[in-house]
Amino acid sequence: MSTFSNPVCQRSLCLLRKYIEEGEVAYYLGSGVDINLVQKVPSWNELVTNLFKIPFKNLSRENLEKSEEKDLEKLGEKFPNEFASFTRWSLGDFSFFKEVENKFSEKINDAPDSKDFIDNFCKLLLKASLIITTNYSDYIYKVLTQYNEKSKTPKQIVVLNREDLASFKFSNPNKNSNIIKFIYLHGRCSNGSYPILDSWGYNIAQNDDTFYFEFLNNLFSSKHVISIGTSWEDIPLRNSAALIMRTRPYVNQSHIAFSIDDQLDNSKSVYRTWSNVMKGAYGVSFVNVKKKGKIESAKLMSYLDKKLEQPNLDDYEGLAKFLDEAGDFESILQTDFLKDKSPLQRHAHERISKSAETIYNNVLNNFYEIKWETVAIIEKHMRHHIYLYSDSTTANKLRKNLWNKLSKNIPKKNKWKKINDRLKFDFIVGGWEIIDANLNNIPSFCYKKFSKVFNNRLKIVKKNKIWMSVENRLINNNSDINKTETEIENIALELLDSGWESMAAKLLCDKAVFLSICNREEVNNSLLSFYKQSNNVVNQAIRAEAVARSVGCYRRRIKADVINAIWNPDFNTGRILLLGRLGANDTIQCIEPGLLGALGLGLLVCFLKSKNSIVPIKKHEAIKKHEAIKLFKDSGLSEYHLKKALSRYWENIMPIVIYEQFENLRKEFGIV
């Protein structure tokens, strides 16, 4: 779906297709859905503004001047809940709720485009076991029950109000469940329910109703939430989503929010930036459905309803399509696919490595029988997996051979123009990323007539050598510390400005590494020296993690968090941070051994610092082998991960006084 070509959104959409099929999704539906079902349904602001006019009539102030009407509308937009409170107090509860109920008396829209939307929408809802709405109307419930009866499905729809949350229990995912819980989270205008319409009601729900908050927290931690037509200005909703995002592991639930607004454009940089901010803060990917709202919405529903098919490793067209639909190498769908295709290997990382190498060898052996674009799509995704999971010699050889073969067989100029910009950009950038790739094979016409976004990114890549290591960048600048720090910072800012946040996160991690190198010799054997030297490193690591989080790059989040834990003077803060990240099985399965080892290394450093809180590090014996193995096992890791953690990669990042404690341990494992 071209509307959702952003890899971050694509990753979330594709994951949701899997979770919908497995019955793990919950729907959170707002007034935007009613607007698609009924032609004249009021928005929340329109509802309370119109309700607010009623007391004026009752108080003999019927004839409002036009200027007052406009002022009323402006105030209603700013203070909708307060307007609702005033109206309720003026009318009394019974009359107030009756007026609200009267506002939702329109018939369901039976126009063809609405019918397509309703059919696709209900088909999806019936695959869920939990549906939540903040609406007071019964439009959604009506169309769902009508569709359920018409399609003769065995589903039983059980209605609950906010007052019933004390009896509600989240069930385990079950795609064969025939019971759907339909919850009016803010109540409704009916017997036995007290709708939350005004500031007083919201205050009670937020501060007095513990079941309300527990429900929202459990919703975001145990379900994959699709919100449609919902206002994310709702404070309780945002607080719960933020809490789960902040405290849960890297590979957490996949949430997405859809709005329908012809004025918004997913492709514009301002919307993308806002969407990334919301992703970083709440763990929710925001997508606007624009152009002919109901038609686009129907297409989206139809897309989400399609089962995601896994191709064979030698089905190159199917493989390219699957990898693209899954998003990018950060997607657990890609790692799960590679893992499942080589079941004979014992460990997950071995299975992924085996599948990646098989794909590379198959494509190389059949290169001239496959379309160039198909090979380029496979290469741009698989170059990351083989680098992360295979040994460096095999990975570098296969990556270089396939990329060079692609570069020698680039389509003619007229065909090249027809290839989409993202694929062309990813292919060219691979030449800088892959060791010993032959960039001279690329004709000059390949660099021309890119869109502005990709053209800017290409210029940054060519000018700055963004994959250069920190050590080499320092050497390149004749060991000039200030010049190197400024250079890294400027490149990161350029990347952010170009909308390439994932690569900006890489440069910001580089800066944290650079600051670690500059300060590692200054830390002596006391916590006081940690406090003096760690501030800049820790702050930079937090910054890098936040940018990586905004686009769902959990690998760069891990690197930033490990640096934070190593340099944070408070060993307990670092320890809790890393243990929280290791708290889910999905994390262990999806992350390559080197990064899992890094998480364990961070825990080892925290362990050493906990000893140092009593006496200086140097007065302790070096950490024992059995202590390290036990710590890793207690954290859900293995001795294999411990050996990965002791590689030289992290040597320059740790303060020397800490790294020295690992020398004997490295010798015991025979690591040179």
Side-chain angles (χ1 to χ4, degrees):
M1 293 190 70
S2 58
T3 310
F4 312 107
S5 58
N6 182 309
V8 180
C9 292
Q10 188 63 47
R11 196 188 309 145
S12 296
L13 281 168
C14 209
L15 269 172
L16 285 173
R17 287 169 64 183
K18 172 179 180 283
Y19 296 137
I20 286 169
E21 202 62 37
E22 295 173 355
E24 297 183 37
V25 161
Y27 290 92
Y28 195 98
L29 310 175
S31 60
V33 177
D34 277 3
I35 292 169
N36 269 268
L37 300 177
V38 184
Q39 282 185 331
K40 296 180 181 179
V41 69
S43 68
W44 171 237
N45 284 343
E46 289 169 343
L47 172 66
V48 295
T49 303
N50 288 329
L51 287 170
F52 190 62
K53 292 177 183 178
I54 298 170
F56 277 87
K57 293 179 181 179
N58 292 346
L59 296 172
S60 300
R61 285 182 267 180
E62 187 172 346
N63 298 317
L64 288 171
E65 295 180 6
K66 287 188 177 180
S67 60
E68 289 181 298
E69 285 273 8
K70 290 181 180 178
D71 290 341
L72 193 63
E73 289 173 5
K74 288 178 182 178
L75 288 169
E77 289 178 2
K78 288 184 178 180
F79 306 104
N81 295 340
E82 288 71 17
F83 269 40
S85 289
F86 176 80
T87 307
R88 179 178 152 235
W89 299 336
S90 299
L91 299 180
D93 282 356
F94 179 80
S95 297
F96 177 67
F97 294 150
K98 197 68 180 173
E99 288 288 350
V100 173
E101 198 172 5
N102 290 338
K103 298 294 181 185
F104 297 109
S105 58
E106 291 288 326
K107 293 182 179 179
I108 303 297
N109 196 338
D110 58 359
D113 58 347
S114 288
K115 187 178 182 302
D116 287 343
F117 168 78
I118 289 170
D119 286 352
N120 285 302
F121 178 60
C122 290
K123 191 176 179 182
L124 275 179
L125 292 186
L126 289 176
K127 288 187 176 182
S129 59
L130 179 60
I131 300 167
I132 305 108
T133 182
T134 55
N135 299 348
Y136 318 114
S137 68
D138 60 358
Y139 294 130
I140 299 172
Y141 176 74
K142 279 182 178 177
V143 298
L144 184 61
T145 52
Q146 287 170 5
Y147 184 87
N148 188 38
E149 291 169 5
K150 183 178 71 173
S151 58
K152 298 181 180 179
T153 60
K155 300 289 184 177
Q156 179 186 357
I157 302 171
V158 178
V159 177
L160 299 172
N161 295 315
R162 180 180 64 83
E163 293 83 357
D164 304 319
L165 289 178
S167 67
F168 178 82
K169 302 292 182 188
F170 279 88
S171 57
N172 293 326
N174 182 4
K175 64 181 179 181
N176 297 317
S177 174
N178 288 327
I179 297 176
I180 299 173
K181 299 288 179 68
F182 190 101
I183 298 177
Y184 285 92
L185 189 62
H186 289 173
R188 54 183 171 146
C189 299
S190 67
N191 293 330
S193 181
Y194 187 96
I196 301 174
L197 284 153
D198 60 11
S199 52
W200 194 264
Y202 274 100
N203 192 275
I204 291 171
Q206 290 181 53
N207 296 295
D208 298 357
D209 191 343
T210 57
F211 296 109
Y212 180 83
F213 268 109
E214 284 178 12
F215 175 82
L216 284 175
N217 291 343
N218 288 329
L219 175 68
F220 282 99
S221 62
S222 64
K223 294 289 185 180
H224 305 274
V225 179
I226 299 178
S227 81
I228 305 175
T230 302
S231 170
W232 275 81
E233 294 179 12
D234 185 359
I235 298 299
L237 179 67
R238 297 199 316 204
N239 283 346
S240 292
L243 175 67
I244 302 307
M245 180 63 179
R246 182 173 60 83
T247 58
R248 295 304 166 104
Y250 297 110
V251 186
N252 48 14
Q253 308 307 95
S254 182
H255 310 305
I256 199 159
F258 295 109
S259 59
I260 301 169
D261 191 332
D262 284 343
Q263 303 303 312
L264 297 175
D265 189 338
N266 293 306
S267 65
K268 299 297 183 185
S269 59
V270 172
Y271 186 88
R272 284 189 66 259
T273 301
W274 172 80
S275 181
N276 289 341
V277 169
M278 299 298 277
K279 171 78 173 176
Y282 305 115
V284 180
S285 296
F286 281 73
V287 175
N288 183 57
V289 184
K290 70 188 193 80
K291 296 179 182 178
K292 301 178 183 177
K294 295 186 182 70
I295 296 173
E296 283 296 310
S297 299
K299 287 181 181 177
L300 171 63
M301 301 302 167
S302 177
Y303 172 79
L304 289 173
D305 189 46
K306 289 179 181 176
K307 188 175 181 180
L308 189 66
E309 300 290 345
Q310 288 195 355
N312 294 324
L313 295 185
D314 58 357
D315 174 10
Y316 306 114
E317 292 291 336
L319 181 60
K321 181 182 177 183
F322 171 84
L323 293 172
D324 252 4
E325 285 197 340
D328 56 24
F329 73 100
E330 296 277 2
S331 169
I332 62 172
L333 286 175
Q334 287 194 6
T335 48
D336 280 350
F337 165 74
L338 295 171
K339 188 173 59 179
D340 293 344
K341 290 299 179 180
S342 295
L344 298 180
Q345 271 61 38
R346 180 180 176 186
H347 299 290
H349 68 271
E350 292 172 340
R351 298 202 293 271
I352 295 169
S353 170
K354 176 69 175 175
S355 294
E357 290 173 22
T358 300
I359 289 170
Y360 258 91
N361 285 317
N362 285 348
V363 172
L364 280 166
N365 291 335
N366 297 280
F367 182 88
Y368 297 104
E369 299 169 21
I370 314 169
K371 291 179 182 178
W372 189 93
E373 292 94 326
T374 301
V375 176
I377 291 170
I378 295 170
E379 187 277 331
K380 81 167 186 173
H381 290 286
M382 296 309 303
R383 77 168 79 126
H384 301 287
H385 292 293
I386 201 160
Y387 172 76
L388 294 169
Y389 292 96
S390 293
D391 68 88
S392 58
T393 303
T394 301
N396 290 336
K397 179 183 176 182
L398 290 173
R399 275 163 42 115
K400 182 179 75 172
N401 287 349
L402 185 54
W403 191 91
N404 283 342
K405 208 162 191 175
L406 277 166
S407 67
K408 289 177 183 177
N409 293 275
I410 288 173
K412 299 297 182 183
K413 189 174 181 179
N414 60 332
K415 290 186 178 180
W416 177 261
K417 289 179 182 178
K418 296 177 182 178
I419 300 171
N420 74 73
D421 276 2
R422 181 175 288 280
L423 179 57
K424 291 189 289 189
F425 172 79
D426 286 337
F427 161 68
I428 292 173
V429 165
W432 276 277
E433 185 179 353
I434 296 169
I435 298 171
D436 296 329
N438 192 349
L439 286 162
N440 294 325
N441 286 337
I442 302 178
S444 59
F445 69 77
C446 291
Y447 294 96
K448 297 176 181 178
K449 294 186 178 180
F450 273 97
S451 65
K452 184 179 178 181
V453 170
F454 290 114
N455 190 49
N456 288 343
R457 294 182 188 181
L458 203 54
K459 286 178 181 177
I460 296 170
V461 172
K462 292 173 73 174
K463 182 178 74 173
N464 296 295
K465 299 179 180 178
I466 56 179
W467 283 279
M468 183 185 288
S469 69
V470 172
E471 291 84 356
N472 287 341
R473 200 174 289 280
L474 193 56
I475 293 168
N476 207 43
N477 288 324
N478 298 317
S479 300
D480 187 325
I481 290 175
N482 291 333
K483 183 179 179 182
T484 303
E485 182 178 357
T486 301
E487 182 179 295
I488 296 172
E489 174 70 15
N490 288 340
I491 298 170
L493 292 177
E494 282 188 72
L495 289 164
L496 283 171
D497 188 54
S498 74
W500 199 357
E501 295 87 358
S502 59
M503 191 53 68
K506 186 263 183 197
L507 267 292
L508 292 174
C509 282
D510 283 353
K511 186 175 178 182
V513 170
F514 173 77
L515 293 172
S516 301
I517 293 170
C518 294
N519 288 282
R520 66 191 301 264
E521 294 184 13
E522 304 300 321
V523 177
N524 55 39
N525 59 2
S526 73
L527 273 180
L528 180 61
S529 66
F530 251 109
Y531 281 108
K532 288 180 178 179
Q533 305 301 328
S534 66
N535 191 50
N536 286 342
V537 179
V538 170
N539 286 342
Q540 183 58 35
I542 291 171
R543 181 187 177 201
E545 188 277 334
V547 173
R549 182 180 358 118
S550 75
V551 284
C553 293
Y554 63 82
R555 287 179 170 90
R556 281 166 187 152
R557 289 183 68 192
I558 291 173
K559 186 172 183 179
D561 280 343
V562 171
I563 295 171
N564 182 347
I566 288 172
W567 281 88
N568 200 314
D570 183 353
F571 67 87
N572 206 39
T573 297
R575 179 175 176 275
I576 291 171
L577 174 70
L578 299 184
L579 283 175
R581 303 310 192 196
L582 281 167
N585 289 330
D586 282 348
T587 307
I588 305 293
Q589 293 296 319
C590 294
I591 299 173
E592 62 273 16
L595 276 186
L596 286 173
L599 286 166
L601 177 71
L603 290 172
L604 273 179
V605 173
C606 292
F607 174 72
L608 273 174
K609 285 190 288 184
S610 69
K611 288 185 173 184
N612 187 44
S613 64
I614 304 171
V615 291
I617 291 173
K618 284 190 174 179
K619 292 185 179 180
H620 275 287
E621 295 180 7
I623 190 169
K624 300 289 194 301
K625 182 177 180 179
H626 73 274
E627 288 179 315
I629 292 173
K630 184 177 186 304
L631 186 145
F632 266 62
K633 286 186 176 179
D634 288 348
S635 305
L637 302 173
S638 67
E639 192 172 322
Y640 173 77
H641 296 119
L642 175 56
K643 291 178 182 178
K644 288 285 185 181
L646 296 174
S647 71
R648 291 285 182 188
Y649 178 85
W650 294 94
E651 178 178 0
N652 288 338
I653 295 174
M654 287 191 280
I656 290 175
V657 70
I658 288 182
Y659 184 77
E660 287 172 348
Q661 307 303 308
F662 289 92
E663 283 303 308
N664 287 337
L665 190 60
R666 296 175 79 254
K667 288 176 183 176
E668 285 190 73
F669 280 103
I671 299 171
V672 180

